[in-house]
Structures are given as structure tokens and as C-alpha cells.
């Protein structure tokens, strides 16, 4: 079972206990399978990237040689879309786990594998368990309104093609927008509209929403590791086999997974987060300024 110190090379696709997955401790660029630490500046484009000269996945987060260049310079030198032509999309679950990003990037090599992720704080929200299952057997994260709570999120800057690709990996969610100023980070005044994947089906377990202990934040909600939540789900289903057998069936037996989701629906509540509203338009930073 994986709780603290989850291995960095395993993604939730490999084992559901990993979800939402370990993430770097500061803002970063992930490119060609290597993470490069970002030193934030008030002007996004002037933020400094410590570009790793090695090939380790955690790149310049590890001891070793690196060079510092601005984000604008890095994107220009690598021939990638500049920041102002990208769409700001919040990530709060597995989409800042490096192993998960690498897996998703490898699903379509025609889409850029350069991901820009700035750490931020979302107010009056916590990240809680949804009442459904991912195809790989984990209970995914959703956003729930929790007055006074603060939770870590990441502002990711996606090319339109990256956003389209990411949409295909986020079945069951819809993109919504936030424009009320409840994102706090170094460059909060440069962007006024953010987007995020939204689902309104939350798990109500023992008279409460349940948060993820490996997502930093301040909240009154109880926290349960994914590994332990899967044990609770196994018990709710009255499954007589081992935990390993239960997880194997969740991952590889579609009809069994559907039967477990039917049980989860009996613990489901529908939520309406007032901060996140439906939208049909997804504007780049440049388009938001016009």
C-alpha cells in the first residue's frame, strides 16, 4: 500500500494508491520527461527556469548542474508557443504528478509535451473524493465548496491542442471558469479568468466530504489516503477477497467496476460550487486582455 513517500516513477495509471500522485514542491516546467524548477517573478514571462542539464525526471529539483533563463527565453529557444497564447487551466489532482503527465504526453506524440505549472492557492474550496472510479481504479478528485478552506492548486498554461488532448483524458468532467479573484499566487493580477475540470458528484462518507492528505491545504474536512479509501470501498461492497484482488478487478473487469460504482452512488451527493460557472469559451492570456 502506498501512503507517504509515494514512488516518483509510478503514476496512478500504474496503481490507484498513487492517486493523486507526488508533485514537485514549487512551480515547474516539465519537458521531454524532465522537470525544471521555476523561480517565480511578478511578470510571468520573466520568471526564471533552472534548466537541468541532466536527464533525471526531477531535473533541477535534484542536486546537479543547471542554467537559469527566463520563461520567455526558454519557450523561444525551444520553439514552443509563447505564454500569452496559452490557456490558464487549474490542475488539482493527478495532472501535476510528473509520472501521470508523462503517461498522458505519450498518448499522443503529435501534441506538445511541454507543460508549464505554477503553484497557487484556491480559496473557499477543498479537493475531495468524487463518487466514481477512474478506469485505473482510483477515486478521483473534484472541487467542493468549503467556506474558509484553502487548498493547493496549479495554474497550468496549455496550448489549445494540449487542452483538447487533456479533455480526452478527463471523461466525466466538464470545463468551467472562475473569475472572482479567489486564486492567490505571485502573478494574480495578470489573469482574470481561469478554467478547471469540474464534476458535481462527490462522495459523502461518514457524514462528510473527504479530502486527500497529500494535497496541501487548510480545511476542517477529514483526510483519508487513497489506499485506505479503497479499503473502505471494498468493505462497502462486502467483497470477500483480498485487497489486491479487489484492485485487480477494478482495473481490469469493466462490469465489476460498474457494479462498484453503483454502490458508490448510494454515498453520492450532488454539489453546486458557486464559484465555478459553465462556459463555452476558453480564452488565452492574450485574448483575456483584449
Amino acid at each position: 500500500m502506498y501512503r507517504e513517500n509515494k514512488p516518483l516513477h509510478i503514476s496512478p495509471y500504474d496503481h490507484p494508491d498513487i492517486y493523486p500522485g507526488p508533485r514537485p514542491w514549487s512551480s515547474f516546467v516539465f519537458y521531454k520527461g524532465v522537470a525544471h524548477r521555476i523561480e517565480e517573478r511578478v511578470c510571468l514571462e520573466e520568471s526564471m527556469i533552472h534548466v537541468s542539464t541532466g536527464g533525471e525526471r526531477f531535473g533541477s529539483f535534484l542536486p546537479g548542474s543547471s542554467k537559469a533563463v527566463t520563461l520567455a527565453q526558454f519557450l523561444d529557444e525551444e520553439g514552443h508557443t509563447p505564454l500569452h497564447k496559452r490557456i490558464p487551466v487549474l490542475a488539482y489532482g493527478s495532472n501535476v504528478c510528473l509520472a501521470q503527465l508523462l503517461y498522458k504526453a505519450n498518448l499522443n506524440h503529435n501534441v506538445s509535451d511541454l507543460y508549464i505549472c505554477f503553484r497557487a492557492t484556491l480559496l473557499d474550496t477543498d479537493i475531495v473524493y468524487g463518487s466514481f472510479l477512474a478506469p485505473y481504479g482510483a477515486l478521483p478528485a473534484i472541487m467542493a465548496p468549503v467556506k474558509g478552506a484553502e487548498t493547493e492548486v496549479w495554474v497550468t498554461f496549455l496550448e489549445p491542442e494540449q487542452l483538447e488532448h487533456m479533455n480526452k483524458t478527463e471523461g466525466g468532467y466538464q470545463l468551467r471558469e472562475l473569475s472572482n479573484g479567489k486564486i492567490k499566487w505571485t502573478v494574480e493580477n495578470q489573469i482574470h479568468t481561469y478554467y478547471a475540470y469540474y464534476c458535481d458528484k462527490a462522495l459523502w462518507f461518514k457524514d462528510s466530504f473527504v479530502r486527500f492528505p497529500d494535497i496541501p491545504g487548510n480545511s476542517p474536512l477529514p483526510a483519508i489516503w487513497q489506499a485506505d479509501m479503497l479499503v473502505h470501498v471494498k468493505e462497502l461492497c462486502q467483497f470477500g477477497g483480498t485487497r489486491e484482488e479487489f484492485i485487480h478487478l477494478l482495473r481490469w473487469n469493466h462490469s465489476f467496476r460498474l457494479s462498484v460504482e453503483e454502490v458508490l452512488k448510494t454515498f453520492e451527493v450532488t454539489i453546486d460550487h458557486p464559484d465555478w460557472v459553465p462556459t463555452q469559451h476558453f480564452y488565452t492570456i492574450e485574448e483575456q486582455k483584449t
Side-chain angles (χ1 to χ4, degrees), residues 134-179:
Y136 45 85
L139 283 85
I142 68 170
M143 298 182 294
V146 180
K147 191 68 174 177
E150 300 180 353
T151 188
E152 177 188 88
V153 293
W154 299 75
V155 184
T156 67
F157 293 94
L158 302 180
E159 299 176 357
E161 295 79 10
Q162 284 181 309
L163 180 59
E164 183 179 350
H165 171 60
M166 196 65 74
N167 289 345
K168 296 175 181 178
T169 71
E170 297 293 338
Y173 290 81
Q174 60 174 276
L175 279 167
R176 289 197 175 188
E177 72 172 47
L178 173 100
S179 303

Side-chain angles (χ1 to χ4, degrees), residues 57-189:
R57 181 170 299 175
F58 260 65
S60 55
F61 285 90
L62 301 173
S65 58
S66 65
K67 64 175 182 177
V69 298
T70 67
L71 177 56
Q73 181 182 351
F74 180 79
L75 293 174
D76 182 61
E77 290 178 352
E78 295 295 332
H80 280 271
T81 302
L83 201 69
H84 64 271
K85 292 186 179 295
R86 293 171 178 263
I87 301 167
V89 180
L90 293 194
Y92 54 85
S94 66
N95 285 340
V96 283
C97 169
L98 299 187
Q100 191 86 327
L101 284 175
L102 185 61
Y103 179 93
K104 291 190 176 187
N106 285 328
L107 294 175
N108 187 345
H109 292 285
N110 294 319
V111 177
S112 171
D113 67 342
L114 189 153
Y115 291 94
I116 304 167
C117 305
F118 277 79
R119 191 167 62 168
T121 299
L122 179 59
L123 306 181
D124 292 331
T125 293
D126 204 353
I127 309 303
V128 305
Y129 283 92
S131 59
F132 54 100
L133 293 164
Y136 45 85
L139 283 85
I142 68 170
M143 298 182 294
V146 180
K147 191 68 174 177
E150 300 180 353
T151 188
E152 177 188 88
V153 293
W154 299 75
V155 184
T156 67
F157 293 94
L158 302 180
E159 299 176 357
E161 295 79 10
Q162 284 181 309
L163 180 59
E164 183 179 350
H165 171 60
M166 196 65 74
N167 289 345
K168 296 175 181 178
T169 71
E170 297 293 338
Y173 290 81
Q174 60 174 276
L175 279 167
R176 289 197 175 188
E177 72 172 47
L178 173 100
S179 303
N180 63 1
K182 289 190 178 181
I183 298 287
K184 301 300 180 184
W185 62 312
T186 305
V187 292
E188 61 183 289
N189 293 324

Side-chain angles (χ1 to χ4, degrees), residues 158-267:
L158 302 180
E159 299 176 357
E161 295 79 10
Q162 284 181 309
L163 180 59
E164 183 179 350
H165 171 60
M166 196 65 74
N167 289 345
K168 296 175 181 178
T169 71
E170 297 293 338
Y173 290 81
Q174 60 174 276
L175 279 167
R176 289 197 175 188
E177 72 172 47
L178 173 100
S179 303
N180 63 1
K182 289 190 178 181
I183 298 287
K184 301 300 180 184
W185 62 312
T186 305
V187 292
E188 61 183 289
N189 293 324
Q190 296 187 24
I191 300 168
H192 60 75
T193 300
Y194 302 83
Y195 307 96
Y197 290 102
Y198 182 85
C199 179
D200 63 358
K201 305 302 181 185
L203 184 70
W204 189 255
F205 183 70
K206 295 184 178 179
D207 299 319
S208 178
F209 298 128
V210 181
R211 68 184 312 275
F212 295 79
D214 36 357
I215 298 179
N218 296 311
S219 171
L221 298 181
I224 299 178
W225 292 99
Q226 178 81 223
D228 298 315
M229 184 58 77
L230 288 172
V231 172
H232 289 307
V233 174
K234 172 180 174 294
E235 293 170 350
L236 294 173
C237 294
Q238 299 181 341
F239 182 78
T242 66
R243 180 179 181 275
E244 289 71 22
E245 290 169 337
F246 181 71
I247 290 175
H248 179 81
L249 289 171
L250 287 181
R251 287 168 57 82
W252 304 112
N253 189 314
H254 181 66
S255 60
F256 180 78
R257 187 167 69 248
L258 290 178
S259 70
V260 173
E261 287 190 319
E262 287 300 313
V263 174
L264 290 174
K265 285 181 180 178
T266 65
F267 296 88

